[in-house]
PDB file of all heavy atoms in Angstrom:
ATOM      1  N   TYR Z1412     107.468  41.572 155.131  1.00  0.00           N
ATOM      2  CA  TYR Z1412     106.527  42.216 156.055  1.00  0.00           C
ATOM      3  C   TYR Z1412     105.512  43.060 155.291  1.00  0.00           C
ATOM      4  O   TYR Z1412     104.343  43.111 155.652  1.00  0.00           O
ATOM      5  CB  TYR Z1412     107.290  43.090 157.053  1.00  0.00           C
ATOM      6  CG  TYR Z1412     106.400  43.688 158.124  1.00  0.00           C
ATOM      7  CD1 TYR Z1412     105.845  42.880 159.121  1.00  0.00           C
ATOM      8  CD2 TYR Z1412     106.116  45.053 158.134  1.00  0.00           C
ATOM      9  CE1 TYR Z1412     105.029  43.437 160.104  1.00  0.00           C
ATOM     10  CE2 TYR Z1412     105.304  45.605 159.099  1.00  0.00           C
ATOM     11  CZ  TYR Z1412     104.764  44.798 160.083  1.00  0.00           C
ATOM     12  OH  TYR Z1412     103.952  45.343 161.050  1.00  0.00           O
ATOM     13  N   ARG Z1413     105.967  43.694 154.220  1.00  0.00           N
ATOM     14  CA  ARG Z1413     105.049  44.529 153.430  1.00  0.00           C
ATOM     15  C   ARG Z1413     104.000  43.691 152.696  1.00  0.00           C
ATOM     16  O   ARG Z1413     102.943  44.201 152.327  1.00  0.00           O
ATOM     17  CB  ARG Z1413     105.839  45.360 152.419  1.00  0.00           C
ATOM     18  CG  ARG Z1413     106.819  46.363 153.029  1.00  0.00           C
ATOM     19  CD  ARG Z1413     106.090  47.500 153.719  1.00  0.00           C
ATOM     20  NE  ARG Z1413     107.009  48.502 154.217  1.00  0.00           N
ATOM     21  CZ  ARG Z1413     107.398  49.581 153.538  1.00  0.00           C
ATOM     22  NH1 ARG Z1413     106.954  49.787 152.313  1.00  0.00           N
ATOM     23  NH2 ARG Z1413     108.224  50.452 154.086  1.00  0.00           N
ATOM     24  N   THR Z1414     104.274  42.419 152.473  1.00  0.00           N
ATOM     25  CA  THR Z1414     103.352  41.568 151.715  1.00  0.00           C
ATOM     26  C   THR Z1414     102.500  40.681 152.634  1.00  0.00           C
ATOM     27  O   THR Z1414     101.844  39.757 152.158  1.00  0.00           O
ATOM     28  CB  THR Z1414     104.132  40.675 150.732  1.00  0.00           C
ATOM     29  OG1 THR Z1414     105.031  39.827 151.462  1.00  0.00           O
ATOM     30  CG2 THR Z1414     104.932  41.521 149.749  1.00  0.00           C
ATOM     31  N   ARG Z1415     102.483  40.968 153.921  1.00  0.00           N
ATOM     32  CA  ARG Z1415     101.835  40.083 154.896  1.00  0.00           C
ATOM     33  C   ARG Z1415     100.331  39.979 154.713  1.00  0.00           C
ATOM     34  O   ARG Z1415      99.721  38.997 155.135  1.00  0.00           O
ATOM     35  CB  ARG Z1415     102.141  40.557 156.321  1.00  0.00           C
ATOM     36  CG  ARG Z1415     101.582  41.947 156.663  1.00  0.00           C
ATOM     37  CD  ARG Z1415     102.149  42.486 157.974  1.00  0.00           C
ATOM     38  NE  ARG Z1415     101.588  43.757 158.378  1.00  0.00           N
ATOM     39  CZ  ARG Z1415     102.035  44.942 157.976  1.00  0.00           C
ATOM     40  NH1 ARG Z1415     103.041  44.997 157.097  1.00  0.00           N
ATOM     41  NH2 ARG Z1415     101.476  46.056 158.404  1.00  0.00           N
ATOM     42  N   ASN Z1416      99.688  40.962 154.081  1.00  0.00           N
ATOM     43  CA  ASN Z1416      98.230  40.955 153.931  1.00  0.00           C
ATOM     44  C   ASN Z1416      97.767  40.494 152.553  1.00  0.00           C
ATOM     45  O   ASN Z1416      96.586  40.626 152.223  1.00  0.00           O
ATOM     46  CB  ASN Z1416      97.662  42.359 154.197  1.00  0.00           C
ATOM     47  CG  ASN Z1416      97.758  42.768 155.655  1.00  0.00           C
ATOM     48  OD1 ASN Z1416      97.860  41.914 156.543  1.00  0.00           O
ATOM     49  ND2 ASN Z1416      97.733  44.062 155.915  1.00  0.00           N
ATOM     50  N   LEU Z1417      98.668  39.957 151.749  1.00  0.00           N
ATOM     51  CA  LEU Z1417      98.268  39.539 150.408  1.00  0.00           C
ATOM     52  C   LEU Z1417      97.223  38.432 150.462  1.00  0.00           C
ATOM     53  O   LEU Z1417      97.317  37.517 151.286  1.00  0.00           O
ATOM     54  CB  LEU Z1417      99.485  39.018 149.637  1.00  0.00           C
ATOM     55  CG  LEU Z1417     100.483  40.050 149.109  1.00  0.00           C
ATOM     56  CD1 LEU Z1417     101.674  39.330 148.497  1.00  0.00           C
ATOM     57  CD2 LEU Z1417      99.840  40.982 148.093  1.00  0.00           C
ATOM     58  N   PRO Z1418      96.214  38.471 149.586  1.00  0.00           N
ATOM     59  CA  PRO Z1418      95.253  37.371 149.497  1.00  0.00           C
ATOM     60  C   PRO Z1418      95.961  36.073 149.096  1.00  0.00           C
ATOM     61  O   PRO Z1418      97.035  36.108 148.480  1.00  0.00           O
ATOM     62  CB  PRO Z1418      94.278  37.832 148.408  1.00  0.00           C
ATOM     63  CG  PRO Z1418      94.428  39.321 148.359  1.00  0.00           C
ATOM     64  CD  PRO Z1418      95.862  39.594 148.691  1.00  0.00           C
ATOM     65  N   PRO Z1419      95.378  34.930 149.411  1.00  0.00           N
ATOM     66  CA  PRO Z1419      95.989  33.637 149.062  1.00  0.00           C
ATOM     67  C   PRO Z1419      96.302  33.538 147.575  1.00  0.00           C
ATOM     68  O   PRO Z1419      95.474  33.859 146.731  1.00  0.00           O
ATOM     69  CB  PRO Z1419      94.929  32.617 149.482  1.00  0.00           C
ATOM     70  CG  PRO Z1419      94.137  33.314 150.550  1.00  0.00           C
ATOM     71  CD  PRO Z1419      94.111  34.764 150.159  1.00  0.00           C
ATOM     72  N   GLY Z1420      97.493  33.097 147.260  1.00  0.00           N
ATOM     73  CA  GLY Z1420      97.898  32.886 145.873  1.00  0.00           C
ATOM     74  C   GLY Z1420      98.508  34.090 145.194  1.00  0.00           C
ATOM     75  O   GLY Z1420      99.167  33.957 144.150  1.00  0.00           O
ATOM     76  N   PHE Z1421      98.336  35.279 145.732  1.00  0.00           N
ATOM     77  CA  PHE Z1421      98.820  36.486 145.063  1.00  0.00           C
ATOM     78  C   PHE Z1421     100.348  36.581 145.075  1.00  0.00           C
ATOM     79  O   PHE Z1421     100.939  37.110 144.142  1.00  0.00           O
ATOM     80  CB  PHE Z1421      98.206  37.737 145.700  1.00  0.00           C
ATOM     81  CG  PHE Z1421      96.861  38.105 145.156  1.00  0.00           C
ATOM     82  CD1 PHE Z1421      95.870  37.151 145.000  1.00  0.00           C
ATOM     83  CD2 PHE Z1421      96.575  39.409 144.794  1.00  0.00           C
ATOM     84  CE1 PHE Z1421      94.619  37.487 144.493  1.00  0.00           C
ATOM     85  CE2 PHE Z1421      95.329  39.763 144.292  1.00  0.00           C
ATOM     86  CZ  PHE Z1421      94.349  38.791 144.141  1.00  0.00           C
ATOM     87  N   LEU Z1422     100.981  36.102 146.137  1.00  0.00           N
ATOM     88  CA  LEU Z1422     102.438  36.183 146.207  1.00  0.00           C
ATOM     89  C   LEU Z1422     103.073  35.396 145.055  1.00  0.00           C
ATOM     90  O   LEU Z1422     104.002  35.876 144.390  1.00  0.00           O
ATOM     91  CB  LEU Z1422     102.932  35.657 147.554  1.00  0.00           C
ATOM     92  CG  LEU Z1422     104.440  35.775 147.808  1.00  0.00           C
ATOM     93  CD1 LEU Z1422     104.879  37.226 147.781  1.00  0.00           C
ATOM     94  CD2 LEU Z1422     104.800  35.123 149.148  1.00  0.00           C
ATOM     95  N   HIS Z1423     102.572  34.204 144.809  1.00  0.00           N
ATOM     96  CA  HIS Z1423     103.102  33.363 143.724  1.00  0.00           C
ATOM     97  C   HIS Z1423     102.724  33.926 142.358  1.00  0.00           C
ATOM     98  O   HIS Z1423     103.519  33.848 141.406  1.00  0.00           O
ATOM     99  CB  HIS Z1423     102.565  31.938 143.869  1.00  0.00           C
ATOM    100  CG  HIS Z1423     102.953  31.033 142.743  1.00  0.00           C
ATOM    101  ND1 HIS Z1423     104.229  30.528 142.580  1.00  0.00           N
ATOM    102  CD2 HIS Z1423     102.216  30.559 141.690  1.00  0.00           C
ATOM    103  CE1 HIS Z1423     104.264  29.793 141.491  1.00  0.00           C
ATOM    104  NE2 HIS Z1423     103.070  29.784 140.939  1.00  0.00           N
ATOM    105  N   LYS Z1424     101.553  34.519 142.263  1.00  0.00           N
ATOM    106  CA  LYS Z1424     101.018  34.945 140.970  1.00  0.00           C
ATOM    107  C   LYS Z1424     101.594  36.274 140.497  1.00  0.00           C
ATOM    108  O   LYS Z1424     101.817  36.471 139.288  1.00  0.00           O
ATOM    109  CB  LYS Z1424      99.498  35.038 141.066  1.00  0.00           C
ATOM    110  CG  LYS Z1424      98.772  35.197 139.746  1.00  0.00           C
ATOM    111  CD  LYS Z1424      97.268  35.071 139.959  1.00  0.00           C
ATOM    112  CE  LYS Z1424      96.503  35.136 138.656  1.00  0.00           C
ATOM    113  NZ  LYS Z1424      95.031  35.009 138.859  1.00  0.00           N
ATOM    114  N   TYR Z1425     101.845  37.199 141.417  1.00  0.00           N
ATOM    115  CA  TYR Z1425     102.178  38.564 141.031  1.00  0.00           C
ATOM    116  C   TYR Z1425     103.543  39.050 141.512  1.00  0.00           C
ATOM    117  O   TYR Z1425     103.856  40.240 141.352  1.00  0.00           O
ATOM    118  CB  TYR Z1425     101.096  39.519 141.534  1.00  0.00           C
ATOM    119  CG  TYR Z1425      99.746  39.285 140.900  1.00  0.00           C
ATOM    120  CD1 TYR Z1425      98.647  38.881 141.663  1.00  0.00           C
ATOM    121  CD2 TYR Z1425      99.559  39.453 139.532  1.00  0.00           C
ATOM    122  CE1 TYR Z1425      97.415  38.663 141.085  1.00  0.00           C
ATOM    123  CE2 TYR Z1425      98.323  39.235 138.942  1.00  0.00           C
ATOM    124  CZ  TYR Z1425      97.251  38.838 139.726  1.00  0.00           C
ATOM    125  OH  TYR Z1425      96.028  38.622 139.147  1.00  0.00           O
ATOM    126  N   PHE Z1426     104.360  38.153 142.090  1.00  0.00           N
ATOM    127  CA  PHE Z1426     105.670  38.567 142.591  1.00  0.00           C
ATOM    128  C   PHE Z1426     106.754  37.583 142.158  1.00  0.00           C
ATOM    129  O   PHE Z1426     106.479  36.420 141.875  1.00  0.00           O
ATOM    130  CB  PHE Z1426     105.666  38.664 144.126  1.00  0.00           C
ATOM    131  CG  PHE Z1426     104.828  39.792 144.665  1.00  0.00           C
ATOM    132  CD1 PHE Z1426     103.458  39.623 144.856  1.00  0.00           C
ATOM    133  CD2 PHE Z1426     105.395  41.016 144.988  1.00  0.00           C
ATOM    134  CE1 PHE Z1426     102.678  40.654 145.348  1.00  0.00           C
ATOM    135  CE2 PHE Z1426     104.621  42.051 145.488  1.00  0.00           C
ATOM    136  CZ  PHE Z1426     103.269  41.869 145.668  1.00  0.00           C
ATOM    137  N   LEU Z1427     107.994  38.091 142.140  1.00  0.00           N
ATOM    138  CA  LEU Z1427     109.171  37.282 141.856  1.00  0.00           C
ATOM    139  C   LEU Z1427     110.131  37.412 143.038  1.00  0.00           C
ATOM    140  O   LEU Z1427     110.151  38.435 143.727  1.00  0.00           O
ATOM    141  CB  LEU Z1427     109.873  37.775 140.589  1.00  0.00           C
ATOM    142  CG  LEU Z1427     109.020  37.865 139.307  1.00  0.00           C
ATOM    143  CD1 LEU Z1427     109.801  38.595 138.229  1.00  0.00           C
ATOM    144  CD2 LEU Z1427     108.604  36.480 138.836  1.00  0.00           C
ATOM    145  N   THR Z1428     110.927  36.388 143.249  1.00  0.00           N
ATOM    146  CA  THR Z1428     111.958  36.466 144.281  1.00  0.00           C
ATOM    147  C   THR Z1428     113.181  37.150 143.698  1.00  0.00           C
ATOM    148  O   THR Z1428     113.659  36.789 142.617  1.00  0.00           O
ATOM    149  CB  THR Z1428     112.345  35.065 144.777  1.00  0.00           C
ATOM    150  OG1 THR Z1428     111.179  34.430 145.301  1.00  0.00           O
ATOM    151  CG2 THR Z1428     113.402  35.149 145.869  1.00  0.00           C
ATOM    152  N   ALA Z1429     113.677  38.191 144.423  1.00  0.00           N
ATOM    153  CA  ALA Z1429     114.849  38.938 143.969  1.00  0.00           C
ATOM    154  C   ALA Z1429     115.843  39.019 145.126  1.00  0.00           C
ATOM    155  O   ALA Z1429     115.869  39.986 145.877  1.00  0.00           O
ATOM    156  CB  ALA Z1429     114.445  40.331 143.497  1.00  0.00           C
ATOM    157  N   GLY Z1430     116.627  37.955 145.302  1.00  0.00           N
ATOM    158  CA  GLY Z1430     117.546  37.900 146.439  1.00  0.00           C
ATOM    159  C   GLY Z1430     116.767  37.837 147.740  1.00  0.00           C
ATOM    160  O   GLY Z1430     115.911  36.962 147.913  1.00  0.00           O
ATOM    161  N   GLU Z1431     117.043  38.766 148.638  1.00  0.00           N
ATOM    162  CA  GLU Z1431     116.314  38.828 149.903  1.00  0.00           C
ATOM    163  C   GLU Z1431     115.031  39.642 149.778  1.00  0.00           C
ATOM    164  O   GLU Z1431     114.274  39.754 150.730  1.00  0.00           O
ATOM    165  CB  GLU Z1431     117.205  39.422 150.998  1.00  0.00           C
ATOM    166  CG  GLU Z1431     118.430  38.562 151.321  1.00  0.00           C
ATOM    167  CD  GLU Z1431     119.255  39.153 152.436  1.00  0.00           C
ATOM    168  OE1 GLU Z1431     118.924  40.270 152.887  1.00  0.00           O
ATOM    169  OE2 GLU Z1431     120.237  38.508 152.846  1.00  0.00           O
TER     170      GLU Z1431
END
Side-chain angles (χ1 to χ4, degrees):
Y1412 185 71
R1413 297 291 184 92
T1414 61
R1415 64 192 184 274
N1416 290 338
L1417 285 175
F1421 275 47
L1422 184 61
H1423 175 74
K1424 192 172 184 180
Y1425 296 116
F1426 291 85
L1427 305 170
T1428 301
E1431 296 182 355

